[in-house]
């Protein structure tokens, strides 16, 4: 089963992708995570992408499609994958269609997580993750049970994304509305688009997604 989770930054794509990964035995492919790894590694792609990401803009389509080419055909994706944060433009969606075709693969679902902009700003600007295991937390919505200690791994170091600052969030939302929202009619025309209320409780969103994936939604 291959799917795309589509939605603005802060809609919960990453959180839900991780939950579906475990339940459906598919792999999450998140271009934002891949790019952050490239930046940390100081690679050529990372060096090209760093400043653009910090401004909250989209990196060039060619760079992304080059980075992701072949990823969907790797052995760990054979049981299925969840694309999180890709495609983000119509050019990328067309490149993805060609990539899938070349590997004899198809998209089963494209699911939009719908969340209002003001809620997104609040969600993004308070979030942070455990530096050890990557568990996600939020200043208002999800604090560790013991202050300063990760619930999952006991780690005491936490990180915030450079692009989660309030100034950058507006640019990221703007990029979503201008460049990514046109993917909604693109996939609707292919008869693949479904929508889920991303403002519902996290576990309700998971169940709504799971129902679609198991053909009961
Ligand atoms: P994300 O973690 O998905 O919010 O992505 C963080 C940042 O990485 C974005 O604001 C973009 O600068 C860049 N990025 C991630 N995925 C893409 C993509 N598919 N196309 C262009 N830029 C991307």
């Amino acid at each position: 089963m291959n799917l795309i989770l589509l939605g603005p930054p802060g809609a919960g794509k990453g959180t839900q992708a991780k939950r579906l990964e475990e339940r459906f035995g598919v792999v999450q492919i998140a271009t934002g995570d891949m790019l952050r790894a490239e930046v940390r590694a100081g690679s050529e792609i990372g060096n090209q992408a760093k400043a653009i990401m910090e401004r909250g803009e989209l990196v060039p389509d060619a760079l992304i499609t080059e980075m992701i080419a072949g990823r969907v055909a790797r052995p760990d994706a054979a049981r299925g994958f969840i694309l999180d944060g890709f495609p983000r433009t119509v050019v990328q969606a067309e490149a993805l269609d060609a990539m899938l075709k070349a590997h004899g693969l198809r998209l089963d679902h494209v699911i939009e997580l719908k969340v209002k902009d003001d809620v997104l700003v609040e969600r993004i600007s308070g979030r942070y993750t455990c530096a050890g295991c990557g568990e996600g937390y939020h200043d208002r919505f999800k604090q560790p049970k013991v202050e300063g200690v990760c619930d999952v791994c006991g780690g005491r170091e936490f990180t915030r994304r450079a692009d989660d600052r309030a100034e950058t969030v507006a640019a990221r939302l703007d990029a979503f509305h201008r460049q990514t929202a046109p993917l909604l009619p693109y996939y609707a025309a292919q008869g693949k688009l479904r929508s889920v209320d991303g403002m519902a409780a996290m576990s309700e969103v998971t169940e709504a997604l799971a129902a679609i994936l198991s053909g009961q939604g």
Side-chain angles (χ1 to χ4, degrees):
M1 183 181 53
N2 302 321
L3 68 138
I4 297 176
L5 281 184
L6 201 58
K13 302 186 297 294
T15 305
Q16 296 298 338
K18 288 199 179 69
R19 291 176 159 212
L20 298 173
E21 247 189 337
E22 286 163 23
R23 202 189 288 194
F24 290 89
V26 292
V27 65
Q28 173 194 21
I29 300 178
T31 43
D33 290 345
M34 292 167 81
L35 285 169
R36 282 184 287 279
E38 298 281 352
V39 171
R40 276 196 302 277
S43 70
E44 191 177 325
I45 287 182
N47 292 339
Q48 283 181 52
K50 187 170 187 286
I52 301 172
M53 292 169 75
E54 282 173 3
R55 288 198 301 272
E57 295 167 8
L58 296 188
V59 307
D61 290 326
L63 189 148
I64 285 288
T65 49
E66 188 185 321
M67 184 181 78
I68 206 160
R71 179 65 188 89
V72 292
R74 285 221 212 122
D76 67 341
R79 284 186 60 197
F81 51 78
I82 305 175
L83 294 173
D84 159 9
F86 174 85
R88 255 178 161 96
T89 64
V90 171
V91 170
Q92 292 180 18
E94 288 167 351
L96 174 66
D97 282 345
M99 236 180 261
L100 294 176
K101 197 167 170 210
H103 295 297
L105 298 168
R106 66 185 295 268
L107 272 177
D108 299 289
H109 306 277
V110 178
I111 311 178
E112 174 197 16
L113 288 178
K114 261 179 141 60
V115 180
K116 287 201 191 109
D117 278 11
D118 50 344
V119 174
L120 295 170
V121 173
E122 193 180 32
R123 280 188 186 180
I124 297 172
S125 43
R127 68 186 182 180
Y128 59 98
T129 50
C130 170
C133 70
E135 180 70 3
Y137 294 96
H138 194 281
D139 294 328
R140 284 191 51 198
F141 308 129
K142 188 188 161 197
Q143 297 270 21
K145 291 189 182 75
V146 178
E147 197 186 330
V149 182
C150 174
D151 296 345
V152 176
C153 75
R156 288 171 180 274
E157 250 188 75
F158 296 88
T159 55
R160 285 179 196 261
R161 280 172 48 173
D163 60 350
D164 276 351
R165 287 185 308 258
E167 315 87 85
T168 316
V169 172
R172 290 166 64 201
L173 288 179
D174 184 56
F176 174 79
H177 290 298
R178 281 189 298 111
Q179 293 169 276
T180 308
L183 292 182
L184 299 171
Y186 179 89
Y187 286 116
Q190 292 188 4
K192 294 212 167 98
L193 185 68
R194 300 287 305 267
S195 278
V196 162
D197 176 12
M199 314 249 281
M202 219 185 265
S203 54
E204 284 174 35
V205 177
T206 309
E207 293 318 312
L209 292 169
I212 293 175
L213 301 191
S214 37
Q216 287 147 12

